Amino acid sequence: MEEDILNSELNPELITSKVLQKKEAEKDVETDKIKEEAEEEFRHINNPTANLKPIVKKYLGAPAEIERSKNRFYISDGDARVEILVVSEEIIRVRLAPHGVFLEEFSYAVPNLPQYKGEAILTESEQEYRITTPKVNCHISKKDFFISFSDQDNHITNMDAEPMHWEENVQFGGYYVFGTKVCQPEEAFYGLGDKATDLNLRGKRLKNWNTDAYSYAWGQDPLYRSIPFYISLDKGIAHGIFFDNTFRNYFDFGGESHNKTSFWSDGGELQYYYIHGPHMMDVVKRYALLTGTHAMPPMWALGYHQCRFSYYPESKVKMITAKFRENQIPCDCIHLDIDYMDGYRCFTWNKKYFPDPKRMIGEIAEKGFKTLVIVDPGIRVDDNYWVFKEGKSKHYFCRRSDDYYMEGHVWPGRCQFPDFTNPEVRTWWGSLFTELMEQGVTGVWNDMNEPAVFGSGTFPDDVRHQFDGFRGSHRKAHNVYGMQMVRATYEGMRKLMKNKRPFTITRAGYSGVQRYACVWTGDNIASWEHLRLGNLQCQRLSMSGISFCGTDIGGFSGNADSELFTRWIQMGTFSPFMRAHSAGDTKEREPWSYGEPYTTIIRNFIELRYRLLPYFYSVFWEHHRYGFPILRSVIMQEQEVVMNQGRQDEFTYGDKILVCPVMEPGQMSRRVYLPTGNWFNFWTNELVEGGKEVEVLTPLENIPIFVKAGSVIPEYAVMQYVGEKEIEEVKLNIYYTNGEVKSYMFEDYGETFAYEQDIYLEKKFIADGSKAGSFIIQQTSEGLYTPRYDNYHFNIAGLPYKPSKIVINGKELVHFTINREGVVDFRFTKNFKQIEVLK
């Protein structure tokens, strides 16, 4: 190049050309350098991990805007959105969409969301957005997106401790979702279904994931049902939170952090309902508005049930039923566990044990027994088994993510499982009961439907479900599987039984399962600890919306001695569902198994249940129509009394009869708390002032039972089964009060759905002793049903004076008697309007 330049003097054009070439070369080098740097930067930007941010919890930021569509309010922080829906004056729903897109609205728990007819008021200040109804305020803080609720007096009842937050679920998609509330220093928590722990859940951390928990222990969690609903009580004011999320979910009631209450799930939406009180009873009733109540059962279902794993062959069944009648011990229903089946195949009979089921069922029906059979979801893989062939040909069984059928071993061996979240499958399943119904079966027990699988526990997470068109894996469907199974059973039976009421039992369930079945507390143990635990579980289930509940009386596994079984029968007399049940490897456990004096004591208590059936049935109507829980813990009677937060032995059946089971061996007396007011000892008619603990004798022959002053308790004559005799009269046991007390009695046909067309009779009694020297009982009624009996038999207890005359509907009664205990006895027509018992 230098030589070329030197020679350029002789050739100027060459000089120019060479210089240009040099400049072009330098330019190309620079361009290549820039290109290389750009490519390096390009490669860096597209590195799949270089700029990947770690997955962390993300929290709502400050709200940026609010939109309104009628009673739906949408608030955004620029990315995430929150929906506030006013459901009623006392119920507000909150939903979170982490990136602004909500899932399609669907809920098995809340099939028909109430529509608020009023109009909520939206106001805005520098500090907050406020959504107001006549009963509740919802506050959304502009600073941090904290959501809180207050009552009409602006008293904060519930508030966020942290903004709602979420975390990406890399493995499955979607999000873990979290809600965290402030936990007040004296706040107490109740509900959450059948948790095996103290009534007050303060300090507990609990999980909802339906689990086959054979012989579970105190504190073991989770169990058979997932009910993500709790009641908070603080400073005498109650509210509820219903976290409607079917995924595996969790609750922490001040356990990890004493000042925080949290609920979260492994997937799905953060969707919860705030349910205002201020009374615990209000919260339970409003939860029932969302999730429903039990249908009225056939009255026989409130009688005594006898079960064992298992009663077979036919001769054993007939021997057991005959012994009930020989011993004059009332019983309405005999349960057949899985050994009635052919190789544990559902919808079949073992013809060796039961050669003619229809004949057998008819013969024991003549003695007043209903027959109930068990079914499981597992359908044996067997091409010669008609149920499997049908389900397989119609593609009704669950499949895994790679399209293989979900298979697992349960009682029949290798099984496949119907997808009960598919409405077509539910209809098919319901139709399978046709032959059983034709043979005379009147009740069905749905078991193993958590769903349980031997060895693995349950289905793998990748099993797919139709979910009524909303699709999902087993992570989403697990907790509703059992509920949808018993729904299929109930709906199928209702169609097949025409106007007769089905009776169904389920082991597993989710919120709303009460619309289809009653429940029991699962495979418990014959121990005093489980007697106490059963008492707590039934109280908790009742306040969690599932009032029709009971225990395996005597314990399923292990052997109960005579005292334990007797005490359990006594408690079970006041369980909405009363069934004795035991495993096949235990000693036989029928009411006569322990000999005297136990047989007589047990007979007396079962007879007491049958005497009180009209009261129990009326309380069930109050639950069905008005949403009241059947069993009511003392804290629900007097929530303003802080000491009652720890009381968990006593409960009332309805609001008139208080029961305190004896739950310690050899206990001949015990302390019993009576809520404020006057109470009568059921056994002696002794008047006892409430608002304090009293010492009560507890010989083996009885347990503490008290009746609220002013109550009208209807009573039937003892029968060996419901419908054995025509009701000729109803006894009304009336207890004096110096105030005014209302009581109710419900009557109808007892087995049909005519009550849905107002063919029933709801009677209201008002007892009023506020005027000295006078006790007045008034009766009004509504409905179209006419009972066939003509008269009431009146027993009036506790009068503070000896009556000189009784005036009924303005006319003096000619004849009445007073016994040595001062009980006034007389009869009069059922259609009376007013009775005056005068000094």
Side-chain angles (χ1 to χ4, degrees):
M1 176 68 73
E2 288 179 359
E3 184 180 351
D4 291 340
I5 293 173
L6 289 172
N7 294 330
S8 64
E9 292 179 3
L10 300 176
N11 190 348
E13 293 180 0
L14 181 62
I15 293 174
T16 303
S17 174
K18 295 298 183 182
V19 170
L20 290 173
Q21 288 177 17
K22 182 180 179 182
K23 288 182 178 179
E24 285 293 329
E26 290 174 349
K27 184 177 179 181
D28 288 343
V29 170
E30 185 67 26
T31 300
D32 289 343
K33 185 178 179 181
I34 292 171
K35 187 183 292 186
E36 286 177 7
E37 289 176 354
E39 288 176 353
E40 182 64 29
E41 178 67 18
F42 184 76
R43 284 194 298 270
H44 177 70
I45 290 172
N46 283 273
N47 186 323
T49 61
N51 285 336
L52 190 64
K53 296 180 180 179
I55 293 174
V56 295
K57 288 183 182 178
K58 295 185 177 180
Y59 294 75
L60 285 170
E65 59 181 359
I66 186 167
E67 300 173 6
R68 177 174 189 167
S69 175
K70 296 184 179 179
N71 285 316
R72 293 177 187 261
F73 302 84
Y74 298 94
I75 308 102
S76 173
D77 66 357
D79 183 16
R81 295 183 87 202
V82 171
E83 179 197 66
I84 308 291
L85 171 65
V86 178
V87 178
S88 73
E89 289 186 352
E90 303 90 358
I91 304 172
I92 293 178
R93 189 184 72 181
V94 179
R95 294 172 78 199
L96 167 68
H99 293 295
V101 180
F102 292 98
L103 298 177
E104 293 179 90
E105 193 163 324
F106 175 75
S107 171
Y108 282 122
V110 187
N112 299 301
L113 191 65
Q115 299 297 314
Y116 180 45
K117 303 242 182 342
E119 184 172 339
I121 298 171
L122 173 63
T123 56
E124 182 179 354
S125 67
E126 289 185 8
Q127 292 77 33
E128 66 175 16
Y129 300 108
R130 179 184 291 205
I131 300 164
T132 300
T133 78
K135 299 292 178 65
V136 176
N137 303 300
C138 176
H139 310 261
I140 303 97
S141 169
K142 289 185 172 181
K143 176 184 176 183
D144 46 27
F145 222 132
F146 279 23
I147 296 175
S148 58
F149 299 90
S150 66
D151 60 19
Q152 294 167 295
D153 299 323
N154 291 317
H155 171 76
I156 298 293
T157 54
N158 176 281
M159 64 183 298
D160 284 348
E162 299 173 355
M164 291 186 287
H165 45 291
W166 62 94
E167 182 179 319
E168 185 179 347
N169 188 326
V170 176
Q171 183 179 1
F172 295 104
Y175 307 92
Y176 302 97
V177 291
F178 305 84
T180 304
K181 301 289 185 177
V182 171
C183 184
Q184 302 294 343
E186 303 299 325
E187 195 169 3
F189 302 93
Y190 302 91
L192 230 62
D194 59 347
K195 300 302 183 184
T197 187
D198 294 308
L199 206 59
N200 183 356
L201 298 173
R202 179 67 184 247
K204 303 292 192 300
R205 188 184 183 99
L206 299 160
K207 179 196 297 186
N208 282 331
W209 186 251
N210 294 355
T211 301
D212 178 5
Y214 178 78
S215 295
Y216 54 91
W218 178 281
Q220 183 173 332
D221 186 63
L223 297 182
Y224 301 95
R225 278 160 290 275
S226 296
I227 313 297
F229 162 66
Y230 71 83
I231 304 167
S232 159
L233 179 63
D234 184 51
K235 298 180 178 65
I237 299 174
H239 73 268
I241 295 291
F242 172 37
F243 179 33
D244 189 7
N245 183 301
T246 64
F247 286 74
R248 186 185 277 107
N249 56 64
Y250 309 82
F251 290 80
D252 186 298
F253 299 102
E256 180 177 329
S257 176
H258 73 278
N259 59 356
K260 292 180 182 179
T261 299
S262 299
F263 48 92
W264 66 100
S265 78
D266 288 352
E269 275 191 332
L270 181 53
Q271 172 181 248
Y272 70 89
Y273 294 83
Y274 169 83
I275 306 172
H276 192 62
H279 300 289
M280 294 178 70
M281 200 76 71
D282 296 327
V283 175
V284 176
K285 288 169 63 179
R286 287 163 190 153
Y287 172 73
L289 287 176
L290 295 172
T291 63
T293 61
H294 294 277
M296 287 300 292
M299 184 177 274
W300 64 260
L302 298 183
Y304 178 74
H305 298 242
Q306 184 66 43
C307 186
R308 183 169 172 81
F309 180 20
S310 294
Y311 286 133
Y312 70 95
E314 174 184 322
S315 58
K316 180 72 171 181
V317 174
K318 295 178 82 171
M319 184 268 287
I320 292 293
T321 55
K323 278 199 169 185
F324 270 101
R325 300 302 178 241
E326 290 168 13
N327 286 282
Q328 291 288 287
I329 298 173
C331 182
D332 261 278
C333 189
I334 191 83
H335 292 211
L336 302 182
D337 212 316
I338 57 176
D339 291 291
Y340 81 90
M341 302 177 192
D342 177 15
Y344 303 137
R345 295 170 179 83
C346 290
F347 309 103
T348 68
W349 290 88
N350 184 319
K351 291 305 178 71
K352 177 183 176 182
Y353 297 150
F354 300 97
D356 189 346
K358 186 172 184 178
R359 174 188 50 76
M360 180 200 75
I361 292 171
E363 289 174 355
I364 65 173
E366 290 177 0
K367 297 180 179 180
F369 285 93
K370 304 294 190 295
T371 300
L372 179 146
V373 298
I374 195 171
V375 292
D376 293 344
I379 301 300
R380 181 180 172 88
V381 176
D382 177 357
D383 285 324
N384 294 317
Y385 171 31
W386 66 277
V387 178
F388 177 74
K389 285 174 65 177
E390 271 191 29
K392 179 181 177 182
S393 67
K394 295 178 179 179
H395 308 289
Y396 284 162
F397 297 118
C398 294
R399 293 174 182 261
R400 302 191 62 177
S401 60
D402 291 329
D403 218 31
Y404 292 102
Y405 282 104
M406 162 57 210
E407 293 192 350
H409 283 75
V410 282
W411 293 110
R414 189 162 64 98
C415 290
Q416 293 181 12
F417 301 82
D419 181 7
F420 294 110
T421 71
N422 183 334
E424 187 178 332
V425 175
R426 290 198 298 270
T427 300
W428 168 71
W429 180 264
S431 72
L432 298 178
F433 291 94
T434 301
E435 185 177 10
L436 290 173
M437 299 296 103
E438 290 173 349
Q439 291 167 337
V441 169
T442 51
V444 176
W445 163 19
N446 298 253
D447 200 24
M448 298 287 289
N449 55 351
E450 289 72 30
V453 177
F454 295 160
S456 61
T458 191
F459 293 2
D461 284 342
D462 74 335
V463 171
R464 303 180 325 218
H465 293 273
Q466 203 260 4
F467 219 82
D468 277 70
F470 293 89
R471 303 163 301 281
S473 73
H474 195 66
R475 297 170 61 245
K476 179 180 178 181
H478 175 88
N479 282 337
V480 298
Y481 186 86
M483 173 188 181
Q484 295 309 299
M485 177 188 176
V486 76
R487 174 187 180 181
T489 301
Y490 177 85
E491 291 176 347
M493 289 177 67
R494 177 159 183 175
K495 185 181 296 184
L496 292 167
M497 295 174 72
K498 308 301 182 187
N499 194 35
K500 294 289 182 72
R501 302 174 200 169
F503 175 63
T504 52
I505 312 169
T506 184
R507 192 167 77 178
Y510 180 74
S511 292
V513 71
Q514 65 271 13
R515 301 193 300 271
Y516 312 114
C518 80
V519 306
W520 87 107
T521 59
D523 294 338
N524 57 0
I525 301 172
S527 70
W528 290 93
E529 180 180 65
H530 266 259
L531 175 61
R532 292 189 292 273
L533 193 52
N535 182 23
L536 290 171
Q537 288 178 296
C538 285
Q539 290 183 55
R540 193 192 314 283
L541 281 164
S542 194
M543 67 172 66
S544 301
I546 306 177
S547 273
F548 200 1
C549 57
T551 65
D552 281 348
I553 291 174
F556 181 72
S557 64
N559 290 300
D561 62 25
S562 53
E563 183 186 5
L564 175 59
F565 186 75
T566 301
R567 292 304 196 189
W568 214 315
I569 282 282
Q570 291 170 339
M571 184 181 80
T573 297
F574 294 93
S575 295
F577 175 45
M578 186 183 188
R579 180 182 74 165
H581 185 34
S582 56
D585 60 354
T586 64
K587 294 178 181 178
E588 294 202 349
R589 201 175 300 158
E590 287 76 44
W592 54 83
S593 298
Y594 298 94
E596 295 295 350
Y598 306 102
T599 300
T600 295
I601 297 170
I602 290 167
R603 179 190 297 111
N604 289 342
F605 268 84
I606 296 176
E607 286 181 347
L608 174 61
R609 184 175 181 91
Y610 279 74
R611 285 164 48 198
L612 292 174
L613 273 181
Y615 174 75
F616 291 164
Y617 193 60
S618 299
V619 172
F620 211 111
W621 172 251
E622 291 182 31
H623 162 77
H624 168 74
R625 185 174 187 184
Y626 303 108
F628 287 104
I630 292 177
L631 302 185
R632 306 174 191 181
S633 307
V634 168
I635 189 63
M636 299 188 79
Q637 311 282 336
E638 291 182 330
Q639 66 186 46
E640 70 281 359
V641 180
V642 176
M643 287 291 292
N644 287 343
Q645 293 181 6
R647 298 191 190 280
Q648 51 191 29
D649 290 357
E650 305 92 338
F651 62 88
T652 61
Y653 198 114
D655 66 339
K656 300 294 190 294
I657 297 179
L658 183 140
V659 180
C660 187
V662 176
M663 296 175 288
E664 298 289 344
Q667 191 172 25
M668 292 295 103
S669 69
R670 66 156 301 157
R671 304 288 292 174
V672 178
Y673 177 78
L674 300 176
T676 301
N678 289 330
W679 297 82
F680 287 88
N681 186 311
F682 177 81
W683 306 107
T684 66
N685 284 334
E686 175 192 1
L687 179 64
V688 183
E689 184 182 354
K692 61 184 178 182
E693 289 187 351
V694 295
E695 187 75 19
V696 183
L697 296 177
T698 56
L700 188 62
E701 291 78 18
N702 63 45
I703 59 173
I705 304 173
F706 291 85
V707 181
K708 186 177 182 179
S711 299
V712 178
I713 306 294
E715 182 181 317
Y716 285 163
V718 171
M719 298 186 192
Q720 294 306 297
Y721 57 91
V722 170
E724 180 194 17
K725 305 170 186 174
E726 188 75 33
I727 303 294
E728 295 180 351
E729 67 177 13
V730 173
K731 180 185 283 188
L732 294 184
N733 298 299
I734 304 174
Y735 297 83
Y736 175 80
T737 177
N738 56 8
E740 182 179 292
V741 175
K742 296 176 183 177
S743 299
Y744 295 89
M745 180 180 174
F746 175 79
E747 296 176 297
D748 71 347
Y749 288 110
E751 61 177 1
T752 74
F753 285 96
Y755 70 88
E756 293 182 344
Q757 282 74 49
D758 294 337
I759 303 176
Y760 64 84
L761 205 59
E762 181 182 294
K763 299 176 179 178
K764 180 169 74 172
F765 302 101
I766 299 176
D768 186 357
S770 57
K771 184 178 178 181
S774 171
F775 184 48
I776 298 174
I777 305 104
Q778 296 175 319
Q779 176 185 226
T780 57
S781 63
E782 68 168 62
L784 304 175
Y785 176 72
T786 302
R788 297 181 67 176
Y789 64 87
D790 293 322
N791 293 328
Y792 290 138
H793 178 189
F794 293 87
N795 274 199
I796 302 177
L799 288 168
Y801 54 85
K802 184 176 180 179
S804 62
K805 64 178 179 179
I806 297 175
V807 178
I808 305 180
N809 299 339
K811 295 182 180 180
E812 186 172 345
L813 182 67
V814 175
H815 179 72
F816 62 90
T817 62
I818 305 173
N819 68 17
R820 65 180 62 185
E821 286 82 30
V823 176
V824 179
D825 184 295
F826 61 94
R827 287 173 168 82
F828 198 78
T829 174
K830 66 188 179 190
N831 296 320
F832 82 92
K833 300 297 183 184
Q834 179 170 293
I835 297 173
E836 297 175 89
V837 184
L838 302 172
K839 184 174 179 180

